[in-house]
Amino acid sequence: MKNILVVSGHPDLKNSVANKTVLEELEKNFPQAEIRKLDELYPDYKFDVKAEQAALEKADIIIFQFPTHWYATPGILKLYIDKVMEHGWAYGSTGNALKGKSFIVSTTVGAPESLYAENAAMGHAVEDFYFGLRQYAALCGLDFKKFFYICGAMYVPGVTTDEQKQALIERLKKHADDIVACLKSL
């Protein structure tokens, strides 16, 4: 089995339903995978760059798992990319540490998918907002395999009913199953 690294970019995973469910399902299916929960490792947002680079170097497959915040990655994941993906290590004439590694993106989106279209409220498909991640992958020589997203993944305590929460969890498990199938095919 290939070495799988999951980078969780949720800024407050302990209060998550969606991302926590996806990560639990990935861990259940791939107990050998390394899951790096950035919010737990770096609550002060001060990354151990060398430790993160070492984890990435060991990986054959890298997954970014995060919630969509304002049409982008959460700040903690953006800062992780800014700090860890150093010139000369991740990219540049001497930077090839990530070259050829498989890369998967998985995000949870609060709004319903019907709002993500050219003629809808968001004006674009979900994938359109993540052009930067595709470009990042290309610059670093990552082999971009798949972009997974699930819309309508918002849970609001006191508003979401128990039945709605359970239905959401079942949808999230199906989302995770799709990622698992992709990983098994690599």
Side-chain angles (χ1 to χ4, degrees):
M1 176 52 83
K2 296 184 176 189
N3 291 324
I4 299 170
L5 173 68
V6 182
V7 178
S8 167
H10 196 294
D12 186 18
L13 194 57
K14 70 181 179 298
N15 288 312
S16 168
V17 170
N19 282 260
K20 189 185 303 183
T21 299
V22 173
L23 291 170
E24 287 170 353
E25 291 298 305
L26 291 175
E27 188 171 29
K28 184 169 58 173
N29 282 278
F30 299 99
Q32 77 286 0
E34 182 176 1
I35 299 177
R36 299 194 62 83
K37 298 172 182 174
L38 299 181
D39 68 317
E40 292 177 13
L41 290 168
Y42 308 108
D44 58 1
Y45 284 43
K46 294 180 180 169
F47 297 101
D48 180 339
V49 171
K50 295 303 176 202
E52 294 308 313
Q53 289 175 344
L56 289 160
E57 286 173 354
K58 286 190 319 190
D60 300 305
I61 302 168
I62 300 164
I63 303 170
F64 281 3
Q65 173 63 51
F66 58 91
T68 292
H69 283 187
W70 287 103
Y71 316 105
T73 61
I76 194 167
L77 184 56
K78 175 63 168 92
L79 187 61
Y80 169 91
I81 294 168
D82 290 347
K83 297 294 185 184
V84 175
M85 307 307 168
E86 293 178 322
H87 181 269
W89 179 81
Y91 67 97
S93 62
T94 60
N96 61 2
L98 303 176
K99 188 175 183 173
K101 295 177 185 290
S102 297
F103 183 56
I104 295 170
V105 172
S106 170
T107 188
T108 58
V109 181
E113 189 162 10
S114 62
L115 298 180
Y116 283 92
E118 186 176 323
N119 296 320
M122 306 310 175
H124 298 274
V126 173
E127 283 190 65
D128 293 348
F129 291 101
Y130 289 103
F131 171 78
L133 281 181
R134 286 183 177 275
Q135 194 60 33
Y136 146 78
L139 180 66
C140 294
L142 288 162
D143 183 5
F144 194 100
K145 293 295 186 186
K146 186 91 171 141
F147 179 85
F148 291 94
Y149 67 91
I150 180 169
C151 290
M154 184 179 290
Y155 167 76
V156 180
V159 175
T160 305
T161 67
D162 289 342
E163 294 81 20
Q164 290 169 325
K165 180 180 178 183
Q166 193 53 47
L168 172 59
I169 288 171
E170 293 307 314
R171 288 182 50 239
L172 290 159
K173 287 181 177 181
K174 169 68 175 97
H175 173 82
D177 287 346
D178 292 343
I179 299 167
V180 167
C182 178
L183 290 169
K184 288 181 177 179
S185 74
L186 299 178

